[in-house]
Amino acid sequence: MSKFPITVGSNSIEKKEGVVAESMALAANTFAPLAHAMTTQRLVQKDATHLVNNGAMTMALAAKLWDPVVWSEWTQLQAAIAQRLYTQNQDWHKGCAILVEDYGQIRQANTMSKLVEKQGNLVSQSAALLTSQTTNFMALLENIDVDFGYWASQKLRQDQPAR
């Protein structure tokens, strides 16, 4: 059975089953926007909490930046972030070069259907590149948040007397 609402040559029983299935799918997805909004709110609150905690730890660590060990580890964290950003930038440039090459091949289409297909592929590839880059950047931000938080908490814990 096709996932599209109208199938050529189907009998009335299949049409009724399709309508029921479509109605059930619509009913199940009625609250999807609300669920998405709630998920977004939960994740933003979680990230905000991490940022506030990391900000507080940063302020507490400010006095320790003159410690050569802390300074060395801090610069290593910065270098790792710079390397990840450089790699992502290289991936972006490679992806754009592929898109430019594919764009140049559009003129080779000899029918309207081929032209539409090539243009659709170009749009899909552009969306995939943008999605990939955005996802990788967000993952980098999350990794920075977690790695810095762990590192900072370990450095601050060293200052506390043993219980």
Side-chain angles (χ1 to χ4, degrees):
M1 177 177 258
S2 172
K3 66 179 181 178
F4 298 108
I6 299 175
T7 305
V8 177
S10 65
N11 61 31
S12 62
I13 293 174
E14 287 178 350
K15 286 181 185 177
K16 288 178 186 175
E17 289 174 357
V19 169
V20 170
E22 183 179 332
S23 298
M24 290 176 62
L26 285 173
N29 288 324
T30 300
F31 295 105
L34 179 60
H36 291 183
M38 290 172 61
T39 299
T40 302
Q41 178 186 7
R42 178 178 50 83
L43 292 174
V44 167
Q45 286 175 338
K46 178 182 163 191
D47 285 347
T49 301
H50 282 249
L51 287 172
V52 168
N53 289 339
N54 283 350
M57 286 190 285
T58 300
M59 295 303 292
L61 276 174
K64 293 187 79 170
L65 281 179
W66 300 112
D67 178 350
V69 172
V70 173
W71 183 258
S72 173
E73 291 173 359
W74 169 254
T75 56
Q76 289 173 17
L77 283 170
Q78 298 300 311
I81 292 166
Q83 180 59 44
R84 288 273 309 268
L85 286 170
Y86 176 78
T87 301
Q88 186 169 353
N89 185 36
Q90 293 300 310
D91 292 344
W92 172 256
H93 284 285
K94 288 176 188 174
C96 288
I98 291 169
L99 289 174
V100 168
E101 183 180 319
D102 288 352
Y103 182 74
Q105 294 178 1
I106 286 180
R107 67 174 180 249
Q108 295 174 357
N110 55 4
T111 64
M112 284 302 289
S113 61
K114 291 291 182 188
L115 178 65
V116 170
E117 178 185 14
K118 287 182 182 294
Q119 289 175 334
N121 286 339
L122 188 63
V123 169
S124 296
Q125 289 172 349
S126 299
L129 177 63
L130 187 59
T131 299
S132 170
Q133 287 292 303
T134 305
T135 301
N136 289 341
F137 185 69
M138 292 306 296
L140 173 61
L141 292 178
E142 291 170 345
N143 285 340
I144 292 168
D145 183 42
V146 170
D147 292 348
F148 176 80
Y150 177 76
W151 173 77
S153 68
Q154 294 301 311
K155 291 298 160 192
L156 292 173
R157 190 169 289 135
Q158 290 173 356
D159 287 345
Q160 295 176 350
R163 293 179 192 184

